[in-house]
Amino acid sequence: MEKAENIIELKAITKIFNDNFTAVSDLNLEVKQGEFVTFLGPSGCGKTTTLRMIAGFEQPTQGQILLNGQDISPLPPHLRPVNTVFQRYALFPHMNVYENIAFGLKQKKTPRDVIDKKVGEVLELVDLEGFEERSVSTLSGGQQQRIAIARALVNEPEILLLDEPLGALDLKMRKEMQLELKNMHRELGITFIYVTHDQEEALTMSDKIVVMNDGKIQQIGTPEDIYNEPRNAFVADFIGESNIFNGIMTGHLKARFAGGVFDVVDDYPEGTRITGVVRPEDIIITAPSEGTVRGTVSDIVFKGMHYEITVESGRYEWVIQNIRTPEIGAAVGLKVDPNEIHIMQAEDHTNYFNVDMNKEHRLEFNGHVLDADLAKIIKGSSRNAAGTLIGANGEVIDPAKVRIVAAIAPKDIEMTDNAEESLVQGEITNLIYKGDHYSYVISTDIGQDFIVDDEYLWNMGDWVGLILPPDKMNFSVKR
Amino acid sequence: MRFSRKALGIPYGIFLLLFVAAPLAVLFYYAFTNGSGQFTFRNLTGFFTDANTLGTLFYSFALAFVTTVVCLLIAYPTAYFLAHSRLKSKSVMIMLFIMPMWINFSLRITALKELLTMIEGNLACYPFLNSVLGMTYDFLPFMILPIYNVLTRLDQSLVEAAKDLGANNTRTFLKVTLPLSMPGVMSGVMMVFLPAMTNYVVLDMLYNSTYIMGSLIGSYFSAYNWHGGSMISLILLGIICLFTLLTDTDKEENVRGGTLL
């Protein structure tokens, strides 16, 4: 039989738990022989569930798992030629190191002398020669981790599954083990499937990264692809630090976002709603007159290798990494090389903007009080008799310590000539006919762009007021 | 005088002195003296040369052993089921097993007696069986709870690791679950075996006139043979100490495992 190029294929895997929680939905993945593949995502994204389905601890609700072209989904874990390194090592406490490592071989009725030889070899591989008789409880975390790896590898699995194996180790140990695992992978040529929520770990070790969120694959690619060409805002945000802005294409290779028009290299038709992603290290600080956008330095943090500089530009915030820094309060310009701006077509075009909490604990935007109940927005809070907002632990909430972001869809914003009834005013800087409605970009006098859908025609350069109904806004609390 | 934390131990210290140390000293005194107050080993040698007392020791052992085995055979599967069930009514189930402990002991045995009389007719026909049943009924919760405690605290990733390494369900149980639940089994055995050797009230109430260690000691004292009775108590104490030492070899396991409640 011809050996399949893909050692393992997941076909349309869905996992729904008893309580109707969909952990993984319609997941398709191919892993090649000898690859180091990492499932990366925040906790609860379905990465561990996927790994457990490959190991056989969970049964997929739907779909097939093909190992070398054979469907293994009905097989129980002990009949699958894969082995797992568990998050908390899971070494048997009633056995010594030798017995732990020999456990798998004994199940296969391997002769004693062969077991002895293999245990010795694998202990050498993990640099723990002579530890056979040690009790596992006398080992350090790092040593236990090595034994757990040895215990899995001694069975010569076709695939080694690693479930956040370095999560319990300290930073220095973790870095060491990352390199050692990478070396082991290179030496042994076995396929590794690795689960982590640590993006740096994933970038360091993997041949291929599978970014997951909400049970779905967000992007599959090499570490370079994932970092440089994130496919959506989630990936961009999760991998490394990013400045992410909603915007719109205003012309050929020109995108408007964050209050400025940038030259870009991604070609989308004019009027396409986009998300612009700029890595903090790619932003160039210039004199105010030379920047694409202008702003004021509001915060500087020394990070050892570089400074992390926060620049307020209108109502947008830029995070910049640089080895030199201007003073706090300095007026600066910001520009970005077109090659370093990553433009993605946006899935939705919700307007996000910061709203303030005033001293009376009411929401305020651009000096107008919003008719929205803060007690419902901040979890666990309530108002006392005097109308003061009290947190879950009975403390008075400090308006300065809470940042609230409001979201409103373009179709929920109304434009008006009457400045009196509007929350904010601005100039129409872009308009596109979308078949049944017009899509406008309004650059407001407070330095924030709003995208508004309206069926009536207004003109470029019109000065309009925007009505933002608070009942159509979604509020979320940051920090 | 300054109040120190040590002062908190004084009440218990007095209790210890009056009701533990002093009686034990008296016990030793009587065990190694004869009626005229002279030191002797006669009580000790007497116990091991008297066919009646040795017979009682053997009978107690047999009764306690069978009771323990029966309890274990019922308790382990029950505890295993309870620990692994995903029932919402789990706490209710555990309650059901603990609840008999809240009902007065003699009332429970009386109820059992009536039930057995209905089934067997004359209780005197099956004295050993009835005693085993009575004791099992009485001691079962003490076996279930420690095993249940250990099993619920057993790290499931160890069970998964065993399966992952190629062990089927049976071998996983024998090689991982069972050895790791031994601390619970051991404390259960301690809680059942030792009381079963001495709790003669169960035998009395179920019309089993055979002596066990408890009733033997009682009989010596009611016959005013304080010296012989003390010696038997002391021998029983020795057996219990020996038993505890034998089952308590791995201290670390016992700390991790569960003693009762």
Side-chain angles (χ1 to χ4, degrees):
Chain A
M1 199 186 85
E2 194 190 346
K3 197 168 160 64
E5 190 198 0
N6 292 323
I7 185 159
I8 193 155
E9 285 178 42
L10 306 184
K11 287 191 180 277
I13 295 286
T14 296
K15 175 69 187 177
I16 301 168
F17 283 107
N18 293 337
D19 49 5
N20 265 329
F21 171 70
T22 306
V24 175
S25 83
D26 195 27
L27 183 136
N28 289 285
L29 179 68
E30 293 172 357
V31 177
K32 291 195 181 63
Q33 168 72 42
E35 262 186 323
F36 194 128
V37 177
T38 300
F39 293 164
L40 174 66
S43 61
C45 73
K47 57 190 191 300
T48 295
T49 306
T50 309
L51 193 84
R52 289 172 60 80
M53 285 192 281
I54 299 173
F57 302 133
E58 305 285 355
Q59 289 292 318
T61 314
Q62 272 162 36
Q64 281 187 314
I65 299 173
L66 303 183
L67 184 82
N68 293 322
Q70 305 281 315
D71 186 8
I72 57 161
S73 33
L75 288 185
H78 70 271
L79 298 178
R80 300 190 182 196
V82 300
N83 285 111
T84 310
V85 177
F86 291 85
Q87 197 166 9
R88 303 283 326 183
Y89 323 135
L91 296 176
F92 305 123
H94 58 303
M95 300 180 192
N96 65 20
V97 168
Y98 174 88
E99 289 164 330
N100 261 285
I101 298 176
F103 189 90
L105 296 173
K106 278 186 187 153
Q107 305 313 314
K108 284 182 226 148
K109 309 254 180 304
T110 314
R112 175 79 194 215
D113 52 328
V114 179
I115 295 183
D116 286 351
K117 191 168 149 283
K118 285 193 171 178
V119 170
E121 282 171 7
V122 80
L123 276 174
E124 199 171 317
L125 181 76
V126 296
D127 264 344
L128 290 175
E129 299 96 326
F131 271 59
E132 281 91 340
E133 302 303 320
R134 293 279 288 270
S135 146
V136 290
S137 58
T138 62
L139 303 180
S140 70
Q143 289 169 333
Q144 291 195 31
Q145 187 56 70
R146 285 158 202 256
I147 298 300
I149 293 166
R151 185 178 68 174
L153 284 176
V154 77
N155 302 293
E156 291 159 20
E158 297 213 29
I159 304 175
L160 184 70
L161 307 173
L162 303 109
D163 183 8
E164 306 221 19
L166 309 183
L169 302 180
D170 62 58
L171 185 67
K172 187 162 172 283
M173 197 70 193
R174 199 153 66 218
K175 299 264 181 215
E176 269 176 47
M177 285 301 293
Q178 283 174 11
L179 294 178
E180 279 187 43
L181 273 173
K182 189 80 192 141
N183 287 337
M184 271 181 220
H185 173 250
R186 209 171 295 139
E187 270 174 49
L188 298 168
I190 301 178
T191 310
F192 278 35
I193 299 182
Y194 193 96
V195 161
T196 184
H197 63 269
D198 182 337
Q199 43 107 359
E200 198 191 326
E201 199 164 285
L203 293 172
T204 310
M205 301 172 76
S206 327
D207 297 327
K208 184 154 105 186
I209 296 177
V210 180
V211 185
M212 292 181 72
N213 190 32
D214 286 340
K216 295 192 185 77
I217 293 179
Q218 303 295 317
Q219 187 169 3
I220 303 176
T222 63
E224 291 84 355
D225 285 348
I226 302 266
Y227 189 84
N228 294 329
E229 297 289 324
R231 215 176 63 189
N232 58 33
F234 173 81
V235 179
D237 190 33
F238 196 75
I239 310 283
E241 283 210 56
S242 303
N243 295 285
I244 303 175
F245 305 103
N246 282 342
I248 197 158
M249 294 301 287
T250 54
H252 181 61
L253 299 183
K254 288 203 180 296
R256 180 181 177 89
F257 59 84
V261 176
F262 291 83
D263 291 324
V264 297
V265 292
D266 302 89
D267 192 9
Y268 289 103
E270 188 181 338
T272 310
R273 292 172 172 180
I274 50 103
T275 302
V277 177
V278 183
R279 297 285 178 195
E281 66 271 23
D282 295 332
I283 300 163
I284 302 157
I285 298 176
T286 63
S289 57
E290 288 165 33
T292 316
V293 293
R294 294 178 193 189
T296 314
V297 177
S298 66
D299 192 29
I300 299 167
V301 180
F302 181 58
K303 293 268 183 181
M305 295 289 286
H306 59 259
Y307 292 96
E308 193 172 281
I309 305 148
T310 309
V311 171
E312 303 273 357
S313 160
R315 293 188 62 92
Y316 297 98
E317 199 178 81
W318 291 77
V319 176
I320 301 154
Q321 289 172 3
N322 204 317
I323 52 168
R324 277 174 301 164
T325 177
E327 304 268 292
I328 283 195
V332 293
L334 302 177
K335 66 177 189 184
V336 188
D337 184 299
N339 286 301
E340 307 296 354
I341 300 174
H342 183 58
I343 297 289
M344 301 173 280
Q345 206 165 342
E347 298 105 85
D348 79 304
H349 245 196
T350 310
N351 295 289
Y352 293 95
F353 52 99
N354 292 333
V355 290
D356 312 313
M357 196 197 299
N358 66 17
K359 294 216 164 55
E360 286 84 49
H361 291 107
R362 303 278 163 200
L363 279 182
E364 217 174 73
F365 175 65
N366 195 26
H368 300 270
V369 172
L370 300 178
D371 180 21
D373 189 2
L374 254 173
K376 281 185 189 146
I377 297 163
I378 300 174
K379 251 186 211 153
S381 70
S382 57
R383 279 189 196 279
N384 65 13
T388 312
L389 203 62
I390 307 293
N393 303 322
E395 79 288 358
V396 174
I397 289 177
D398 179 1
K401 289 202 175 131
V402 185
R403 192 163 76 94
I404 294 171
V405 174
I408 190 164
K411 66 176 169 46
D412 291 329
I413 302 178
E414 223 180 291
M415 291 192 283
T416 174
D417 280 327
N418 183 358
E420 291 292 302
E421 58 177 353
S422 66
L423 282 182
V424 60
Q425 296 87 42
E427 184 191 342
I428 296 178
T429 52
N430 194 275
L431 81 94
I432 300 126
Y433 185 56
K434 290 270 188 167
D436 58 346
H437 67 272
Y438 296 89
S439 182
Y440 298 93
V441 177
I442 290 98
S443 302
T444 61
D445 51 358
I446 56 167
Q448 164 130 17
D449 288 356
F450 280 92
I451 293 166
V452 178
D453 286 351
D454 201 302
E455 53 189 299
Y456 301 108
L457 177 63
W458 299 69
N459 292 318
M460 281 288 277
D462 279 359
W463 187 260
V464 294
L466 298 181
I467 301 172
L468 306 157
D471 58 315
K472 296 280 172 57
M473 294 183 193
N474 267 317
F475 297 98
S476 52
V477 181
K478 306 279 172 194
R479 283 179 225 163
Chain B
M1 193 182 79
R2 240 163 38 108
F3 179 83
S4 76
R5 213 139 40 126
K6 280 182 188 157
L8 292 173
I10 290 176
Y12 184 69
I14 294 170
F15 178 87
L16 200 71
L17 212 63
L18 282 180
F19 298 107
V20 180
L24 211 59
V26 175
L27 198 71
F28 265 96
Y29 171 76
Y30 276 107
F32 289 103
T33 52
N34 61 18
S36 44
Q38 282 162 324
F39 180 81
T40 176
F41 277 118
R42 280 284 301 279
N43 301 323
L44 185 66
T45 50
F47 180 86
F48 287 106
T49 49
D50 185 342
N52 282 330
T53 51
L54 282 180
T56 303
L57 183 66
F58 177 74
Y59 188 82
S60 307
F61 243 106
L63 187 62
F65 182 77
V66 174
T67 303
T68 308
V69 170
V70 171
C71 277
L72 197 57
L73 288 179
I74 299 173
Y76 202 102
T78 310
Y80 189 86
F81 169 75
L82 281 176
H84 288 89
S85 73
R86 288 190 188 143
L87 293 174
K88 290 219 174 76
S89 52
K90 200 147 116 176
S91 49
V92 178
M93 294 286 288
I94 294 160
M95 227 16 146
L96 279 177
F97 284 97
I98 302 177
M99 225 154 60
M101 284 161 64
W102 299 347
I103 298 167
N104 182 279
F105 157 79
S106 59
L107 193 71
R108 266 183 291 152
I109 299 295
T110 309
L112 181 72
K113 183 170 76 184
E114 295 304 319
L115 203 68
L116 289 177
T117 312
M118 255 164 37
I119 299 165
E120 295 172 4
N122 185 357
L123 281 181
C125 293
Y126 311 100
F128 189 81
L129 174 73
N130 290 343
S131 306
V132 169
L133 286 177
M135 287 191 172
T136 303
Y137 181 36
D138 204 21
F139 299 140
L140 190 59
F142 295 102
M143 187 67 101
I144 292 177
L145 282 175
I147 300 177
Y148 171 78
N149 278 343
V150 174
L151 285 177
T152 46
R153 261 182 274 160
L154 183 69
D155 183 358
Q156 279 309 300
S157 66
L158 294 175
V159 174
E160 287 182 349
K163 290 183 180 167
D164 187 70
L165 292 166
N168 59 27
N169 289 343
T170 319
R171 290 198 53 86
T172 301
F173 177 78
L174 291 176
K175 290 288 167 191
V176 176
T177 311
L178 189 62
L180 289 176
S181 60
M182 279 322 270
V185 172
M186 274 308 156
S187 54
V189 166
M190 296 273 291
M191 305 283 259
V192 172
F193 190 87
L194 300 174
M197 274 188 71
T198 53
N199 196 336
Y200 63 90
V201 185
V202 177
L203 274 70
D204 280 356
M205 292 186 72
L206 294 171
Y207 304 139
N208 183 350
S209 54
T210 320
Y211 275 2
I212 57 170
M213 292 306 276
S215 34
L216 185 70
I217 296 167
S219 75
Y220 270 74
F221 280 93
S222 36
Y224 297 104
N225 185 351
W226 289 23
H227 305 281
S230 298
M231 181 44 86
I232 298 171
S233 303
L234 214 55
I235 289 167
L236 200 59
L237 191 70
I239 293 172
I240 293 170
C241 285
L242 203 68
F243 201 84
T244 317
L245 283 177
L246 284 178
T247 53
D248 201 27
T249 43
D250 196 341
K251 288 230 169 56
E252 193 201 339
E253 293 282 299
N254 270 306
V255 172
R256 194 152 13 100
T259 33
L260 186 76
L261 296 174

